[in-house]
Amino acid sequence: MKRYTLPQLRPITIIFLSLLFIGCTHLSVKHLRKNPWSLNTNQTLDMSFWRFEYEGAFINNIYNIRGVAYPKKEVIPAWAEWIQDLWLSAYLSDINGHVVARDIKVYLPRKLDYDKGVEFEFVLQPEKLPSAGPLFVTFGYTMQLTSHQFDKPPLIDRPLTGNKGNVFYASQGAMTR
C-alpha cells in the first residue's frame, strides 16, 4: 500500500474541496424584490432604479415575460441623458430565492427616455422545477448613464475616453451563494 505525504495530498484536497464548493453554489435572488409567477396578468415590480411592468405567459413548457422597464426619474441624477450600457435580466426562482431559470438582454446605447422606457421579452426555460411551492419573478440590471453620448465608439478607443461628462453606474442582480 502506497503512503502519501502531506505535500502530495494537498493538491488532491484542494481539487476535492473546489469541486465540492462548486457543486454547492447556486444563483440566488433572495435579496431582491419579487412577485409570484402569474399568467396573463399585468404586474409591476419596483427595483431601486427601474420599474418593470410586465405580463407572463407559459407556452410549450417555456416561461415568457414581456413588458417595459421604466427608469425611475426620482432616483436617477438629473444630468443623466444617455444610457451607454444596459443589461436587463429576468429570473424565475423558487420560494427560497434559488434561481431555476434566467435570461439576459443587452441593449445598444440610447437616449434615456423616462416615458417610453425599454421594451423587453425574456424566455425562461428551467432545466428542473422545484418539486413543490410557488415560483417567483424578479429582475436585474446593470446600467451606465452619462450626461451626453460618447464621441467615439468603445471599440475604436478605450471606453470613456474623450468624454469629460458625468457617469452614473448602478446594478442589481442574482448573487452566487
Side-chain angles (χ1 to χ4, degrees):
M1 178 176 203
K2 185 176 179 181
R3 292 185 176 208
Y4 293 95
T5 64
L6 187 57
Q8 291 172 319
L9 288 176
R10 199 169 290 155
I12 295 170
T13 304
I14 291 171
I15 291 170
F16 174 76
L17 290 174
S18 297
L19 290 173
L20 181 65
F21 176 74
I22 290 169
C24 295
T25 62
H26 64 276
L27 282 179
S28 174
V29 291
K30 188 174 185 177
H31 62 289
L32 297 176
R33 292 183 189 136
K34 53 191 134 303
N35 283 340
W37 171 259
S38 181
L39 287 174
N40 306 320
T41 304
N42 290 324
Q43 291 189 293
T44 299
L45 185 60
D46 277 318
M47 306 298 282
S48 295
F49 293 94
W50 290 86
R51 184 181 77 251
F52 292 84
E53 295 182 4
Y54 66 97
E55 186 174 312
F58 184 72
I59 303 165
N60 297 328
N61 294 326
I62 296 174
Y63 294 82
N64 185 277
I65 300 172
R66 181 181 291 177
V68 179
Y70 295 97
K72 295 170 75 174
K73 192 172 191 172
E74 63 274 11
V75 292
I76 290 178
W79 52 258
E81 293 185 16
W82 280 89
I83 301 173
Q84 296 298 340
D85 191 26
L86 179 63
W87 298 39
L88 297 180
S89 304
Y91 304 98
L92 193 62
S93 65
D94 66 12
I95 196 163
N96 297 314
H98 296 159
V99 174
V100 297
R102 67 180 173 158
D103 192 11
I104 187 167
K105 302 292 180 208
V106 180
Y107 296 86
L108 293 172
R110 61 181 62 207
K111 188 103 169 115
L112 184 61
D113 189 333
Y114 293 100
D115 297 323
K116 185 178 176 187
V118 177
E119 292 184 10
F120 60 80
E121 182 172 2
F122 295 106
V123 177
L124 304 166
Q125 295 179 289
E127 289 183 22
K128 182 180 177 186
L129 288 172
S131 58
L135 292 174
F136 295 87
V137 173
T138 193
F139 297 94
Y141 56 85
T142 298
M143 69 175 178
Q144 181 184 57
L145 306 177
T146 59
S147 55
H148 63 281
Q149 186 176 17
F150 286 164
D151 295 331
K152 298 178 182 178
L155 296 175
I156 295 170
D157 204 351
R158 292 180 310 180
L160 304 181
T161 59
N163 296 288
K164 295 180 175 80
N166 296 316
V167 176
F168 178 78
Y169 175 83
S171 181
Q172 278 189 289
M175 296 175 61
T176 304
R177 294 187 179 221

